Amino acid sequence: QKEVEQDPGPLSVPEGAIVSLNCTYSNSAFQYFMWYRQYSRKGPELLMYTYSSGNKEDGRFTAQVDKSSKYISLFIRDSQPSDSATYLCAMSAGLRGSNYKLTFGKGTLLTVNP
Amino acid sequence: DGGITQSPKYLFRKEGQNVTLSCEQNLNHDAMYWYRQDPGQGLRLIYYSQIVNDFQKGDIAEGYSVSREKKESFPLTVTSAQKNPTAFYLCASSNIASGMIYNEQFFGPGTRLTVL
C-alpha cells in the first residue's frame, strides 16, 4: 500500500460546481496536511495547510482532515475556470529533526468548463 | 521580489552527458530541496539540504549529485548514470527556524529536462 493515495482523475466539472478532491494515507504519524495547486508547466503553490483533524476554510476553499479514517479532502465552492489545475495533497509527520519530509499524492487534474 | 528561481526553463541533454540545473533563492531559507515530477508519479524527493555544506539523499538520489556551498544556491547535477532523466525538476526551499515543526515549502518554476 502506498503511503498516500490520490485519484489522478481527470475531473471535469461545469463552472459553479462544487468540487471534492480527496486523498487517503496509511501512515498514522502524519499530522500536517497540505494542498498544493499546480498550473500546467509551473511549480506548485501552497493552497491550504491544516494541522491534525478538523476543517479549515479560506474563501471558496475548505480543507478537511479525518485522522481516524486517514482521509483528507479539499472542497472548492463556486468553481471557476481559473481553478483548472492539478491539485496535489502533501503530508508530513512534522518530527523534529526530519521536518523536511513531505510525502505527496500523485495529483488530481481538474478542469472547470465555462 | 523574494522567491526561487530555476534555470534554464528547458534543457536538452544528449546521452552520456552530465547537466547541471540551477536553483537560487533569496528568501533566506535554511533548507532547500530537489524533486522530480513525472506524469502520473507525483513529486519524488531527490536530495535535500538543511544547512550549508551538508545535504542528504532523498528517495531517488541515484544518478544525481548536489552541492550546497552557499545558503542561497543548491545546484543539481544529473549525471550520465541516471538512466531515465527526462522529467520536470522542481526546486523548493523552506524556513526551518528553531522550534518550528512544520515548514511550508516554496517551489520554483521548474526545469524541464529532455534527453535526446
Side-chain angles (χ1 to χ4, degrees), chain A residues 32 34 36 38 41-44 46 49 94 96 99-102 104 106, chain B residues 33 37 40 42 48 59 88 90 99-105 107-109 112:
Chain A
Y32 295 88
M34 289 135 269
Y36 282 82
Q38 184 178 23
R41 301 180 183 275
K42 304 289 186 184
L46 184 67
Y49 147 66
R96 291 187 190 278
N99 60 0
Y100 68 90
K101 180 74 170 171
L102 288 183
F104 285 85
K106 293 183 177 182
Chain B
Y33 317 82
Q37 187 175 33
Y48 69 98
D59 300 321
F88 189 47
L90 288 158
M100 288 179 61
I101 294 178
Y102 164 69
N103 64 102
E104 175 184 350
Q105 293 189 16
F107 285 85
R112 188 164 299 276

PDB file of all heavy atoms in Angstrom, chain A residues 32 34 36 38 41-44 46 49 94 96 99-102 104 106, chain B residues 33 37 40 42 48 59 88 90 99-105 107-109 112:
ATOM      1  N   TYR A  32       0.451  16.895   9.650  1.00  0.00           N
ATOM      2  CA  TYR A  32       0.373  18.152   8.905  1.00  0.00           C
ATOM      3  C   TYR A  32      -0.070  17.807   7.489  1.00  0.00           C
ATOM      4  O   TYR A  32       0.542  16.949   6.842  1.00  0.00           O
ATOM      5  CB  TYR A  32       1.730  18.853   8.887  1.00  0.00           C
ATOM      6  CG  TYR A  32       2.165  19.294  10.252  1.00  0.00           C
ATOM      7  CD1 TYR A  32       2.886  18.450  11.080  1.00  0.00           C
ATOM      8  CD2 TYR A  32       1.820  20.549  10.739  1.00  0.00           C
ATOM      9  CE1 TYR A  32       3.262  18.837  12.344  1.00  0.00           C
ATOM     10  CE2 TYR A  32       2.194  20.948  11.999  1.00  0.00           C
ATOM     11  CZ  TYR A  32       2.917  20.094  12.798  1.00  0.00           C
ATOM     12  OH  TYR A  32       3.280  20.479  14.059  1.00  0.00           O
ATOM     13  N   MET A  34      -1.415  19.277   3.658  1.00  0.00           N
ATOM     14  CA  MET A  34      -1.369  20.416   2.765  1.00  0.00           C
ATOM     15  C   MET A  34      -2.005  20.094   1.431  1.00  0.00           C
ATOM     16  O   MET A  34      -2.016  18.933   0.997  1.00  0.00           O
ATOM     17  CB  MET A  34       0.091  20.830   2.506  1.00  0.00           C
ATOM     18  CG  MET A  34       0.767  21.457   3.684  1.00  0.00           C
ATOM     19  SD  MET A  34       2.427  20.773   3.924  1.00  0.00           S
ATOM     20  CE  MET A  34       2.077  19.424   5.040  1.00  0.00           C
ATOM     21  N   TYR A  36      -1.577  21.587  -2.465  1.00  0.00           N
ATOM     22  CA  TYR A  36      -0.877  22.458  -3.393  1.00  0.00           C
ATOM     23  C   TYR A  36      -1.646  22.502  -4.706  1.00  0.00           C
ATOM     24  O   TYR A  36      -2.234  21.502  -5.136  1.00  0.00           O
ATOM     25  CB  TYR A  36       0.542  21.942  -3.674  1.00  0.00           C
ATOM     26  CG  TYR A  36       1.555  22.226  -2.589  1.00  0.00           C
ATOM     27  CD1 TYR A  36       1.656  21.418  -1.462  1.00  0.00           C
ATOM     28  CD2 TYR A  36       2.429  23.304  -2.701  1.00  0.00           C
ATOM     29  CE1 TYR A  36       2.598  21.685  -0.472  1.00  0.00           C
ATOM     30  CE2 TYR A  36       3.375  23.575  -1.724  1.00  0.00           C
ATOM     31  CZ  TYR A  36       3.452  22.758  -0.618  1.00  0.00           C
ATOM     32  OH  TYR A  36       4.395  23.014   0.352  1.00  0.00           O
ATOM     33  N   GLN A  38      -1.121  23.297  -8.782  1.00  0.00           N
ATOM     34  CA  GLN A  38      -0.069  23.403  -9.776  1.00  0.00           C
ATOM     35  C   GLN A  38      -0.689  23.633 -11.154  1.00  0.00           C
ATOM     36  O   GLN A  38      -1.371  22.756 -11.689  1.00  0.00           O
ATOM     37  CB  GLN A  38       0.802  22.144  -9.796  1.00  0.00           C
ATOM     38  CG  GLN A  38       1.980  22.226 -10.745  1.00  0.00           C
ATOM     39  CD  GLN A  38       2.856  20.989 -10.717  1.00  0.00           C
ATOM     40  OE1 GLN A  38       2.404  19.907 -10.339  1.00  0.00           O
ATOM     41  NE2 GLN A  38       4.115  21.140 -11.113  1.00  0.00           N
ATOM     42  N   ARG A  41       2.856  23.303 -16.340  1.00  0.00           N
ATOM     43  CA  ARG A  41       4.232  23.726 -16.566  1.00  0.00           C
ATOM     44  C   ARG A  41       4.716  24.778 -15.562  1.00  0.00           C
ATOM     45  O   ARG A  41       5.609  25.577 -15.851  1.00  0.00           O
ATOM     46  CB  ARG A  41       4.423  24.231 -17.989  1.00  0.00           C
ATOM     47  CG  ARG A  41       4.094  23.190 -19.040  1.00  0.00           C
ATOM     48  CD  ARG A  41       4.295  23.706 -20.442  1.00  0.00           C
ATOM     49  NE  ARG A  41       3.922  22.722 -21.438  1.00  0.00           N
ATOM     50  CZ  ARG A  41       4.720  21.780 -21.881  1.00  0.00           C
ATOM     51  NH1 ARG A  41       5.956  21.715 -21.446  1.00  0.00           N
ATOM     52  NH2 ARG A  41       4.310  20.901 -22.775  1.00  0.00           N
ATOM     53  N   LYS A  42       4.126  24.790 -14.359  1.00  0.00           N
ATOM     54  CA  LYS A  42       4.548  25.716 -13.311  1.00  0.00           C
ATOM     55  C   LYS A  42       4.887  24.932 -12.049  1.00  0.00           C
ATOM     56  O   LYS A  42       4.578  23.746 -11.934  1.00  0.00           O
ATOM     57  CB  LYS A  42       3.427  26.716 -12.990  1.00  0.00           C
ATOM     58  CG  LYS A  42       2.928  27.515 -14.175  1.00  0.00           C
ATOM     59  CD  LYS A  42       3.957  28.520 -14.629  1.00  0.00           C
ATOM     60  CE  LYS A  42       3.387  29.418 -15.738  1.00  0.00           C
ATOM     61  NZ  LYS A  42       4.403  30.340 -16.274  1.00  0.00           N
ATOM     62  N   GLY A  43       5.521  25.599 -11.102  1.00  0.00           N
ATOM     63  CA  GLY A  43       5.768  24.972  -9.822  1.00  0.00           C
ATOM     64  C   GLY A  43       4.524  24.987  -8.951  1.00  0.00           C
ATOM     65  O   GLY A  43       3.655  25.838  -9.103  1.00  0.00           O
ATOM     66  N   PRO A  44       4.391  24.034  -8.029  1.00  0.00           N
ATOM     67  CA  PRO A  44       3.227  24.017  -7.123  1.00  0.00           C
ATOM     68  C   PRO A  44       3.242  25.216  -6.180  1.00  0.00           C
ATOM     69  O   PRO A  44       4.307  25.714  -5.810  1.00  0.00           O
ATOM     70  CB  PRO A  44       3.425  22.717  -6.330  1.00  0.00           C
ATOM     71  CG  PRO A  44       4.411  21.913  -7.102  1.00  0.00           C
ATOM     72  CD  PRO A  44       5.275  22.886  -7.804  1.00  0.00           C
ATOM     73  N   LEU A  46       1.353  26.569  -2.451  1.00  0.00           N
ATOM     74  CA  LEU A  46       0.565  26.108  -1.316  1.00  0.00           C
ATOM     75  C   LEU A  46      -0.794  26.796  -1.301  1.00  0.00           C
ATOM     76  O   LEU A  46      -0.894  28.013  -1.345  1.00  0.00           O
ATOM     77  CB  LEU A  46       1.294  26.387  -0.009  1.00  0.00           C
ATOM     78  CG  LEU A  46       0.606  25.867   1.243  1.00  0.00           C
ATOM     79  CD1 LEU A  46       0.605  24.343   1.252  1.00  0.00           C
ATOM     80  CD2 LEU A  46       1.285  26.398   2.495  1.00  0.00           C
ATOM     81  N   TYR A  49      -3.296  24.627   4.328  1.00  0.00           N
ATOM     82  CA  TYR A  49      -2.499  23.859   5.274  1.00  0.00           C
ATOM     83  C   TYR A  49      -3.342  23.620   6.517  1.00  0.00           C
ATOM     84  O   TYR A  49      -3.971  24.530   7.042  1.00  0.00           O
ATOM     85  CB  TYR A  49      -1.221  24.626   5.606  1.00  0.00           C
ATOM     86  CG  TYR A  49      -0.710  24.428   7.004  1.00  0.00           C
ATOM     87  CD1 TYR A  49      -0.245  23.184   7.415  1.00  0.00           C
ATOM     88  CD2 TYR A  49      -0.688  25.482   7.919  1.00  0.00           C
ATOM     89  CE1 TYR A  49       0.214  22.998   8.707  1.00  0.00           C
ATOM     90  CE2 TYR A  49      -0.220  25.302   9.195  1.00  0.00           C
ATOM     91  CZ  TYR A  49       0.235  24.053   9.589  1.00  0.00           C
ATOM     92  OH  TYR A  49       0.692  23.885  10.866  1.00  0.00           O
ATOM     93  N   GLY A  94       6.080  15.882  10.656  1.00  0.00           N
ATOM     94  CA  GLY A  94       6.497  17.038  11.433  1.00  0.00           C
ATOM     95  C   GLY A  94       7.386  16.682  12.596  1.00  0.00           C
ATOM     96  O   GLY A  94       7.403  17.374  13.598  1.00  0.00           O
ATOM     97  N   ARG A  96      10.600  16.527  14.769  1.00  0.00           N
ATOM     98  CA  ARG A  96      11.776  17.383  14.908  1.00  0.00           C
ATOM     99  C   ARG A  96      12.997  16.654  14.366  1.00  0.00           C
ATOM    100  O   ARG A  96      13.201  15.499  14.611  1.00  0.00           O
ATOM    101  CB  ARG A  96      12.003  17.741  16.377  1.00  0.00           C
ATOM    102  CG  ARG A  96      10.948  18.655  16.920  1.00  0.00           C
ATOM    103  CD  ARG A  96      11.301  19.130  18.324  1.00  0.00           C
ATOM    104  NE  ARG A  96      10.185  19.824  18.929  1.00  0.00           N
ATOM    105  CZ  ARG A  96       9.907  21.085  18.708  1.00  0.00           C
ATOM    106  NH1 ARG A  96      10.669  21.790  17.906  1.00  0.00           N
ATOM    107  NH2 ARG A  96       8.880  21.657  19.294  1.00  0.00           N
ATOM    108  N   ASN A  99      11.745  17.373   9.776  1.00  0.00           N
ATOM    109  CA  ASN A  99      10.527  18.031   9.328  1.00  0.00           C
ATOM    110  C   ASN A  99      10.581  18.447   7.869  1.00  0.00           C
ATOM    111  O   ASN A  99       9.646  19.044   7.367  1.00  0.00           O
ATOM    112  CB  ASN A  99      10.238  19.237  10.214  1.00  0.00           C
ATOM    113  CG  ASN A  99      11.362  20.252  10.172  1.00  0.00           C
ATOM    114  OD1 ASN A  99      12.357  20.059   9.488  1.00  0.00           O
ATOM    115  ND2 ASN A  99      11.213  21.328  10.901  1.00  0.00           N
ATOM    116  N   TYR A 100      11.669  18.080   7.192  1.00  0.00           N
ATOM    117  CA  TYR A 100      11.761  18.352   5.776  1.00  0.00           C
ATOM    118  C   TYR A 100      10.782  17.513   4.979  1.00  0.00           C
ATOM    119  O   TYR A 100      10.412  17.845   3.884  1.00  0.00           O
ATOM    120  CB  TYR A 100      13.177  17.996   5.301  1.00  0.00           C
ATOM    121  CG  TYR A 100      13.428  16.512   5.356  1.00  0.00           C
ATOM    122  CD1 TYR A 100      13.154  15.698   4.265  1.00  0.00           C
ATOM    123  CD2 TYR A 100      13.878  15.912   6.518  1.00  0.00           C
ATOM    124  CE1 TYR A 100      13.335  14.331   4.314  1.00  0.00           C
ATOM    125  CE2 TYR A 100      14.066  14.550   6.577  1.00  0.00           C
ATOM    126  CZ  TYR A 100      13.805  13.758   5.477  1.00  0.00           C
ATOM    127  OH  TYR A 100      13.988  12.407   5.548  1.00  0.00           O
ATOM    128  N   LYS A 101      10.469  16.349   5.465  1.00  0.00           N
ATOM    129  CA  LYS A 101       9.879  15.303   4.646  1.00  0.00           C
ATOM    130  C   LYS A 101       8.410  15.551   4.357  1.00  0.00           C
ATOM    131  O   LYS A 101       7.562  15.508   5.245  1.00  0.00           O
ATOM    132  CB  LYS A 101      10.037  13.957   5.364  1.00  0.00           C
ATOM    133  CG  LYS A 101       9.459  12.780   4.629  1.00  0.00           C
ATOM    134  CD  LYS A 101      10.303  12.373   3.464  1.00  0.00           C
ATOM    135  CE  LYS A 101       9.828  11.025   2.895  1.00  0.00           C
ATOM    136  NZ  LYS A 101      10.502  10.702   1.637  1.00  0.00           N
ATOM    137  N   LEU A 102       8.116  15.848   3.102  1.00  0.00           N
ATOM    138  CA  LEU A 102       6.737  15.903   2.635  1.00  0.00           C
ATOM    139  C   LEU A 102       6.499  14.704   1.742  1.00  0.00           C
ATOM    140  O   LEU A 102       7.311  14.399   0.873  1.00  0.00           O
ATOM    141  CB  LEU A 102       6.471  17.182   1.836  1.00  0.00           C
ATOM    142  CG  LEU A 102       6.387  18.506   2.593  1.00  0.00           C
ATOM    143  CD1 LEU A 102       6.044  19.630   1.626  1.00  0.00           C
ATOM    144  CD2 LEU A 102       5.360  18.439   3.706  1.00  0.00           C
ATOM    145  N   PHE A 104       3.955  13.330  -1.055  1.00  0.00           N
ATOM    146  CA  PHE A 104       2.942  13.864  -1.962  1.00  0.00           C
ATOM    147  C   PHE A 104       2.075  12.772  -2.548  1.00  0.00           C
ATOM    148  O   PHE A 104       2.530  11.643  -2.797  1.00  0.00           O
ATOM    149  CB  PHE A 104       3.617  14.605  -3.121  1.00  0.00           C
ATOM    150  CG  PHE A 104       4.176  15.951  -2.767  1.00  0.00           C
ATOM    151  CD1 PHE A 104       5.445  16.067  -2.217  1.00  0.00           C
ATOM    152  CD2 PHE A 104       3.438  17.101  -2.989  1.00  0.00           C
ATOM    153  CE1 PHE A 104       5.974  17.309  -1.890  1.00  0.00           C
ATOM    154  CE2 PHE A 104       3.951  18.347  -2.660  1.00  0.00           C
ATOM    155  CZ  PHE A 104       5.209  18.450  -2.111  1.00  0.00           C
ATOM    156  N   LYS A 106      -0.197  11.780  -6.009  1.00  0.00           N
ATOM    157  CA  LYS A 106       0.176  11.911  -7.418  1.00  0.00           C
ATOM    158  C   LYS A 106      -0.482  13.100  -8.099  1.00  0.00           C
ATOM    159  O   LYS A 106      -0.092  13.487  -9.189  1.00  0.00           O
ATOM    160  CB  LYS A 106      -0.161  10.625  -8.170  1.00  0.00           C
ATOM    161  CG  LYS A 106       0.688   9.448  -7.743  1.00  0.00           C
ATOM    162  CD  LYS A 106       0.373   8.214  -8.574  1.00  0.00           C
ATOM    163  CE  LYS A 106       1.282   7.064  -8.177  1.00  0.00           C
ATOM    164  NZ  LYS A 106       1.037   5.849  -9.000  1.00  0.00           N
TER     165      LYS A 106
ATOM    166  N   TYR B  33      15.480  21.872  -1.394  1.00  0.00           N
ATOM    167  CA  TYR B  33      15.088  20.523  -1.813  1.00  0.00           C
ATOM    168  C   TYR B  33      15.088  20.439  -3.340  1.00  0.00           C
ATOM    169  O   TYR B  33      14.820  21.421  -4.020  1.00  0.00           O
ATOM    170  CB  TYR B  33      13.672  20.182  -1.328  1.00  0.00           C
ATOM    171  CG  TYR B  33      13.368  20.582   0.085  1.00  0.00           C
ATOM    172  CD1 TYR B  33      12.992  21.879   0.405  1.00  0.00           C
ATOM    173  CD2 TYR B  33      13.445  19.655   1.115  1.00  0.00           C
ATOM    174  CE1 TYR B  33      12.710  22.257   1.712  1.00  0.00           C
ATOM    175  CE2 TYR B  33      13.157  20.018   2.424  1.00  0.00           C
ATOM    176  CZ  TYR B  33      12.792  21.321   2.712  1.00  0.00           C
ATOM    177  OH  TYR B  33      12.513  21.686   3.997  1.00  0.00           O
ATOM    178  N   GLN B  37       9.393  15.327 -10.987  1.00  0.00           N
ATOM    179  CA  GLN B  37       7.973  15.074 -11.250  1.00  0.00           C
ATOM    180  C   GLN B  37       7.833  14.426 -12.613  1.00  0.00           C
ATOM    181  O   GLN B  37       8.258  14.979 -13.626  1.00  0.00           O
ATOM    182  CB  GLN B  37       7.166  16.379 -11.186  1.00  0.00           C
ATOM    183  CG  GLN B  37       5.667  16.173 -11.271  1.00  0.00           C
ATOM    184  CD  GLN B  37       4.884  17.455 -11.085  1.00  0.00           C
ATOM    185  OE1 GLN B  37       5.329  18.531 -11.467  1.00  0.00           O
ATOM    186  NE2 GLN B  37       3.703  17.367 -10.476  1.00  0.00           N
ATOM    187  N   GLY B  40       1.898  11.216 -13.781  1.00  0.00           N
ATOM    188  CA  GLY B  40       1.285  10.136 -13.027  1.00  0.00           C
ATOM    189  C   GLY B  40       2.093   9.645 -11.840  1.00  0.00           C
ATOM    190  O   GLY B  40       1.722   8.653 -11.204  1.00  0.00           O
ATOM    191  N   GLY B  42       3.546  11.979  -9.348  1.00  0.00           N
ATOM    192  CA  GLY B  42       3.663  12.929  -8.246  1.00  0.00           C
ATOM    193  C   GLY B  42       5.077  13.447  -8.105  1.00  0.00           C
ATOM    194  O   GLY B  42       5.909  13.318  -9.016  1.00  0.00           O
ATOM    195  N   TYR B  48      18.021  16.784  -0.373  1.00  0.00           N
ATOM    196  CA  TYR B  48      17.649  17.960   0.396  1.00  0.00           C
ATOM    197  C   TYR B  48      18.836  18.406   1.235  1.00  0.00           C
ATOM    198  O   TYR B  48      19.742  17.623   1.519  1.00  0.00           O
ATOM    199  CB  TYR B  48      16.426  17.710   1.262  1.00  0.00           C
ATOM    200  CG  TYR B  48      16.657  16.758   2.416  1.00  0.00           C
ATOM    201  CD1 TYR B  48      16.901  17.223   3.699  1.00  0.00           C
ATOM    202  CD2 TYR B  48      16.601  15.378   2.205  1.00  0.00           C
ATOM    203  CE1 TYR B  48      17.110  16.347   4.750  1.00  0.00           C
ATOM    204  CE2 TYR B  48      16.818  14.494   3.245  1.00  0.00           C
ATOM    205  CZ  TYR B  48      17.062  14.981   4.519  1.00  0.00           C
ATOM    206  OH  TYR B  48      17.263  14.117   5.545  1.00  0.00           O
ATOM    207  N   ASP B  59      14.575  10.058  -1.742  1.00  0.00           N
ATOM    208  CA  ASP B  59      14.093   8.723  -2.111  1.00  0.00           C
ATOM    209  C   ASP B  59      14.675   8.195  -3.416  1.00  0.00           C
ATOM    210  O   ASP B  59      14.704   6.989  -3.648  1.00  0.00           O
ATOM    211  CB  ASP B  59      12.564   8.756  -2.215  1.00  0.00           C
ATOM    212  CG  ASP B  59      11.913   9.144  -0.902  1.00  0.00           C
ATOM    213  OD1 ASP B  59      12.397   8.696   0.153  1.00  0.00           O
ATOM    214  OD2 ASP B  59      10.929   9.914  -0.926  1.00  0.00           O
ATOM    215  N   PHE B  88      10.391  16.680 -15.215  1.00  0.00           N
ATOM    216  CA  PHE B  88      10.248  18.061 -14.762  1.00  0.00           C
ATOM    217  C   PHE B  88      10.891  18.136 -13.376  1.00  0.00           C
ATOM    218  O   PHE B  88      10.516  17.379 -12.480  1.00  0.00           O
ATOM    219  CB  PHE B  88       8.760  18.410 -14.713  1.00  0.00           C
ATOM    220  CG  PHE B  88       8.457  19.861 -14.476  1.00  0.00           C
ATOM    221  CD1 PHE B  88       9.102  20.860 -15.183  1.00  0.00           C
ATOM    222  CD2 PHE B  88       7.487  20.239 -13.566  1.00  0.00           C
ATOM    223  CE1 PHE B  88       8.802  22.200 -14.987  1.00  0.00           C
ATOM    224  CE2 PHE B  88       7.175  21.580 -13.350  1.00  0.00           C
ATOM    225  CZ  PHE B  88       7.835  22.555 -14.065  1.00  0.00           C
ATOM    226  N   LEU B  90      11.889  20.186  -9.950  1.00  0.00           N
ATOM    227  CA  LEU B  90      11.419  21.288  -9.117  1.00  0.00           C
ATOM    228  C   LEU B  90      12.330  21.471  -7.917  1.00  0.00           C
ATOM    229  O   LEU B  90      12.678  20.507  -7.234  1.00  0.00           O
ATOM    230  CB  LEU B  90       9.995  21.015  -8.631  1.00  0.00           C
ATOM    231  CG  LEU B  90       8.908  21.125  -9.695  1.00  0.00           C
ATOM    232  CD1 LEU B  90       7.668  20.357  -9.290  1.00  0.00           C
ATOM    233  CD2 LEU B  90       8.562  22.595  -9.932  1.00  0.00           C
ATOM    234  N   GLY B  99      12.644  25.512  16.752  1.00  0.00           N
ATOM    235  CA  GLY B  99      11.356  25.396  17.404  1.00  0.00           C
ATOM    236  C   GLY B  99      10.203  25.116  16.468  1.00  0.00           C
ATOM    237  O   GLY B  99       9.130  24.715  16.891  1.00  0.00           O
ATOM    238  N   MET B 100      10.411  25.328  15.171  1.00  0.00           N
ATOM    239  CA  MET B 100       9.331  25.067  14.223  1.00  0.00           C
ATOM    240  C   MET B 100       9.253  23.579  13.925  1.00  0.00           C
ATOM    241  O   MET B 100      10.266  22.911  13.797  1.00  0.00           O
ATOM    242  CB  MET B 100       9.556  25.823  12.922  1.00  0.00           C
ATOM    243  CG  MET B 100       9.343  27.316  13.029  1.00  0.00           C
ATOM    244  SD  MET B 100       9.651  28.124  11.453  1.00  0.00           S
ATOM    245  CE  MET B 100       8.423  27.367  10.413  1.00  0.00           C
ATOM    246  N   ILE B 101       8.076  23.095  13.822  1.00  0.00           N
ATOM    247  CA  ILE B 101       7.889  21.706  13.418  1.00  0.00           C
ATOM    248  C   ILE B 101       7.489  21.648  11.957  1.00  0.00           C
ATOM    249  O   ILE B 101       8.043  20.908  11.166  1.00  0.00           O
ATOM    250  CB  ILE B 101       6.805  21.023  14.274  1.00  0.00           C
ATOM    251  CG1 ILE B 101       7.272  20.925  15.728  1.00  0.00           C
ATOM    252  CG2 ILE B 101       6.472  19.646  13.727  1.00  0.00           C
ATOM    253  CD1 ILE B 101       6.263  20.322  16.665  1.00  0.00           C
ATOM    254  N   TYR B 102       6.507  22.456  11.607  1.00  0.00           N
ATOM    255  CA  TYR B 102       6.021  22.433  10.232  1.00  0.00           C
ATOM    256  C   TYR B 102       6.756  23.483   9.422  1.00  0.00           C
ATOM    257  O   TYR B 102       7.002  24.580   9.905  1.00  0.00           O
ATOM    258  CB  TYR B 102       4.528  22.728  10.199  1.00  0.00           C
ATOM    259  CG  TYR B 102       4.058  23.095   8.817  1.00  0.00           C
ATOM    260  CD1 TYR B 102       4.030  22.141   7.807  1.00  0.00           C
ATOM    261  CD2 TYR B 102       3.706  24.393   8.513  1.00  0.00           C
ATOM    262  CE1 TYR B 102       3.629  22.475   6.542  1.00  0.00           C
ATOM    263  CE2 TYR B 102       3.301  24.740   7.245  1.00  0.00           C
ATOM    264  CZ  TYR B 102       3.266  23.770   6.260  1.00  0.00           C
ATOM    265  OH  TYR B 102       2.881  24.104   5.003  1.00  0.00           O
ATOM    266  N   ASN B 103       7.087  23.142   8.218  1.00  0.00           N
ATOM    267  CA  ASN B 103       7.704  24.122   7.342  1.00  0.00           C
ATOM    268  C   ASN B 103       7.035  24.085   5.983  1.00  0.00           C
ATOM    269  O   ASN B 103       6.924  23.046   5.366  1.00  0.00           O
ATOM    270  CB  ASN B 103       9.204  23.860   7.205  1.00  0.00           C
ATOM    271  CG  ASN B 103       9.530  22.537   6.532  1.00  0.00           C
ATOM    272  OD1 ASN B 103       9.871  22.495   5.365  1.00  0.00           O
ATOM    273  ND2 ASN B 103       9.406  21.452   7.256  1.00  0.00           N
ATOM    274  N   GLU B 104       6.569  25.265   5.559  1.00  0.00           N
ATOM    275  CA  GLU B 104       5.976  25.371   4.241  1.00  0.00           C
ATOM    276  C   GLU B 104       7.085  25.378   3.213  1.00  0.00           C
ATOM    277  O   GLU B 104       8.058  26.119   3.339  1.00  0.00           O
ATOM    278  CB  GLU B 104       5.156  26.657   4.127  1.00  0.00           C
ATOM    279  CG  GLU B 104       4.590  26.895   2.733  1.00  0.00           C
ATOM    280  CD  GLU B 104       3.862  28.207   2.606  1.00  0.00           C
ATOM    281  OE1 GLU B 104       3.622  28.858   3.649  1.00  0.00           O
ATOM    282  OE2 GLU B 104       3.537  28.598   1.475  1.00  0.00           O
ATOM    283  N   GLN B 105       6.947  24.575   2.209  1.00  0.00           N
ATOM    284  CA  GLN B 105       7.920  24.545   1.135  1.00  0.00           C
ATOM    285  C   GLN B 105       7.434  25.417  -0.024  1.00  0.00           C
ATOM    286  O   GLN B 105       6.308  25.260  -0.493  1.00  0.00           O
ATOM    287  CB  GLN B 105       8.165  23.110   0.666  1.00  0.00           C
ATOM    288  CG  GLN B 105       8.855  22.275   1.727  1.00  0.00           C
ATOM    289  CD  GLN B 105       9.308  20.911   1.228  1.00  0.00           C
ATOM    290  OE1 GLN B 105       9.375  20.668   0.027  1.00  0.00           O
ATOM    291  NE2 GLN B 105       9.632  20.020   2.153  1.00  0.00           N
ATOM    292  N   PHE B 107       8.048  26.575  -3.897  1.00  0.00           N
ATOM    293  CA  PHE B 107       8.609  25.953  -5.085  1.00  0.00           C
ATOM    294  C   PHE B 107       9.027  26.979  -6.132  1.00  0.00           C
ATOM    295  O   PHE B 107       8.415  28.037  -6.271  1.00  0.00           O
ATOM    296  CB  PHE B 107       7.597  24.989  -5.714  1.00  0.00           C
ATOM    297  CG  PHE B 107       7.456  23.708  -4.969  1.00  0.00           C
ATOM    298  CD1 PHE B 107       6.609  23.602  -3.884  1.00  0.00           C
ATOM    299  CD2 PHE B 107       8.180  22.591  -5.351  1.00  0.00           C
ATOM    300  CE1 PHE B 107       6.484  22.418  -3.175  1.00  0.00           C
ATOM    301  CE2 PHE B 107       8.055  21.396  -4.663  1.00  0.00           C
ATOM    302  CZ  PHE B 107       7.210  21.313  -3.575  1.00  0.00           C
ATOM    303  N   GLY B 108      10.057  26.624  -6.892  1.00  0.00           N
ATOM    304  CA  GLY B 108      10.453  27.390  -8.050  1.00  0.00           C
ATOM    305  C   GLY B 108       9.599  27.002  -9.249  1.00  0.00           C
ATOM    306  O   GLY B 108       8.733  26.128  -9.154  1.00  0.00           O
ATOM    307  N   PRO B 109       9.846  27.637 -10.406  1.00  0.00           N
ATOM    308  CA  PRO B 109       9.020  27.397 -11.593  1.00  0.00           C
ATOM    309  C   PRO B 109       9.358  26.108 -12.336  1.00  0.00           C
ATOM    310  O   PRO B 109       8.597  25.698 -13.212  1.00  0.00           O
ATOM    311  CB  PRO B 109       9.323  28.609 -12.472  1.00  0.00           C
ATOM    312  CG  PRO B 109      10.700  29.017 -12.069  1.00  0.00           C
ATOM    313  CD  PRO B 109      10.794  28.732 -10.596  1.00  0.00           C
ATOM    314  N   ARG B 112      12.434  21.771 -17.226  1.00  0.00           N
ATOM    315  CA  ARG B 112      12.037  20.569 -17.961  1.00  0.00           C
ATOM    316  C   ARG B 112      13.255  20.053 -18.710  1.00  0.00           C
ATOM    317  O   ARG B 112      13.767  20.724 -19.610  1.00  0.00           O
ATOM    318  CB  ARG B 112      10.898  20.861 -18.925  1.00  0.00           C
ATOM    319  CG  ARG B 112      10.311  19.602 -19.576  1.00  0.00           C
ATOM    320  CD  ARG B 112       8.965  19.885 -20.214  1.00  0.00           C
ATOM    321  NE  ARG B 112       7.973  20.327 -19.261  1.00  0.00           N
ATOM    322  CZ  ARG B 112       7.233  19.520 -18.515  1.00  0.00           C
ATOM    323  NH1 ARG B 112       7.402  18.227 -18.589  1.00  0.00           N
ATOM    324  NH2 ARG B 112       6.327  20.019 -17.689  1.00  0.00           N
TER     325      ARG B 112
END
